[in-house]
């Protein structure tokens, strides 16, 4: 009877130890998922800031061309008071700035969805593996294998790297547009400087210059609209690369989780 009581006590202690490990295991897995999701949210916020900043760079660089034209025309007004051409009488660049914002917004949504939707599958797979562990024979071997569920290589947070890969394409578009707008400003300066070829006494030359000036400036402005295909040169490259990254990491995590499940099963 004494031995039986001792055996019951030992079993009770063992059960308590396993119970503590059980909850520790659960907390580790859920904690790992929460950490991974937090990493994803942080990476998504960083990408959001980058895209917003690069949008502003693009819009400001395009608007800077308009400001540059206005300043250049003001210089002509001071020398020729009767000449009153303003950018209001020239082509508008609002379409392109709106267009760039729309393309950037679509890129943001596409990249984020490419990551966040598969992230849900990874979380479900982690939880499924954990549930299978609960239904298996709980022993030291299976416990050791199951603890691998909280390792970094099996974390949903790994998908943050795919969001980071989207940054260069957003920055590349902005830096390219900004560079091209510098060329546009240089072109404006060339057109403005053409007036200097006219002698003060040559009315015909001056009249011809001012008659042609709106068309010359509009050619430069319309070249901005011709850049409408440029955003897709970056977005159409960055999108598939982002999606490919997600697929690779998802498959890697899936194999890791399956390996953990197989190892736990082998412990039976």
């Amino acid at each position: 009877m004494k031995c039986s009581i001792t055996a019951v006590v030992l079993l009770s202690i063992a059960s308590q130890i396993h119970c503590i490990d059980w909850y520790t295991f659960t907390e580790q897995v859920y904690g790992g998922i929460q950490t991974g999701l937090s990493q994803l949210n942080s990476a998504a916020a960083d990408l959001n800031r980058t895209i917003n900043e690069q949008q502003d760079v693009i819009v400001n660089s395009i608007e800077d061309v308009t400001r540059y034209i206005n300043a250049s025309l003001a210089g002509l007004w001071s020398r020729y008071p009767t000449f009153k051409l303003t950018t209001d009488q020239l082509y508008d660049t609002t379409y392109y700035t709106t267009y760039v914002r729309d393309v950037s917004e679509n890129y943001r949504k596409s990249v984020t969805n490419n990551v966040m939707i598969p992230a849900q599958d990874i979380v479900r797979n982690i939880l499924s593996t954990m549930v299978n562990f609960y239904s298996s024979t709980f022993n030291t071997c299976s416990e050791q294998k199951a603890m691998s569920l909280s390792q970094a290589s099996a974390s949903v947070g790994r998908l943050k790297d795919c969001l980071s890969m989207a940054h260069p394409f957003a920055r590349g578009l902005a830096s390219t547009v900004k560079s091209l707008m510098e060329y546009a400003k240089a072109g404006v300066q060339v057109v403005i400087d053409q007036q200097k070829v006219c002698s003060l006494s040559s009315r015909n030359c001056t009249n011809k210059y001012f008659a042609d000036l709106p068309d010359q400036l509009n050619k430069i402005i319309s070249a901005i609209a011709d850049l409408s295909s440029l955003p897709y040169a970056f977005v159409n490259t960055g999108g598939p690369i982002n999606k490919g990254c997600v697929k690779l990491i998802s498959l890697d995590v899936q194999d890791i989780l399956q390996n953990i499940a197989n190892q736990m099963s082998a412990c039976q």
Side-chain angles (χ1 to χ4, degrees), residues 110-132:
S110 173
V111 168
T112 303
N113 288 342
N114 284 347
V115 172
M116 294 306 183
I117 294 176
Q120 297 174 27
D121 291 332
I122 290 179
V123 170
R124 278 193 292 267
N125 288 338
I126 293 173
L127 294 176
S128 176
T129 305
M130 182 180 73
V131 170
N132 290 338

Side-chain angles (χ1 to χ4, degrees), residues 80-151:
Y80 300 91
T82 59
F83 173 71
K84 291 299 181 182
L85 177 66
T86 66
T87 49
D88 293 340
Q89 299 165 274
L90 300 173
Y91 292 159
D92 188 13
T93 60
T94 304
Y95 159 76
Y96 189 69
T97 55
T98 302
Y99 168 76
V100 168
R101 288 192 184 280
D102 289 342
V103 173
S104 298
E105 183 61 29
N106 288 336
Y107 181 58
R108 182 208 319 269
K109 290 179 180 178
S110 173
V111 168
T112 303
N113 288 342
N114 284 347
V115 172
M116 294 306 183
I117 294 176
Q120 297 174 27
D121 291 332
I122 290 179
V123 170
R124 278 193 292 267
N125 288 338
I126 293 173
L127 294 176
S128 176
T129 305
M130 182 180 73
V131 170
N132 290 338
F133 168 68
Y134 288 154
S135 62
S136 66
T137 302
F138 192 84
N139 54 47
T140 302
C141 173
S142 61
E143 177 186 351
Q144 291 174 345
K145 302 302 181 184
M147 288 301 178
S148 300
L149 277 175
S150 59
Q151 64 182 309

Side-chain angles (χ1 to χ4, degrees), residues 57 61 172-186:
V57 169
S61 64
L173 172 60
S175 62
T176 300
V177 171
K178 185 176 181 179
S179 177
L180 291 172
M181 291 307 100
E182 290 302 314
Y183 280 111
K185 287 164 61 178

Side-chain angles (χ1 to χ4, degrees), residues 15 23 29 54 72 101 129 137-138 143 148 189 204 208 214 247 262:
S15 175
Y23 286 110
V29 174
Q54 300 311 302
S72 300
R101 288 192 184 280
T129 305
T137 302
F138 192 84
E143 177 186 351
S148 300
Q189 190 59 54
N204 287 334
K208 175 63 174 172
K247 187 62 176 178
N262 292 341

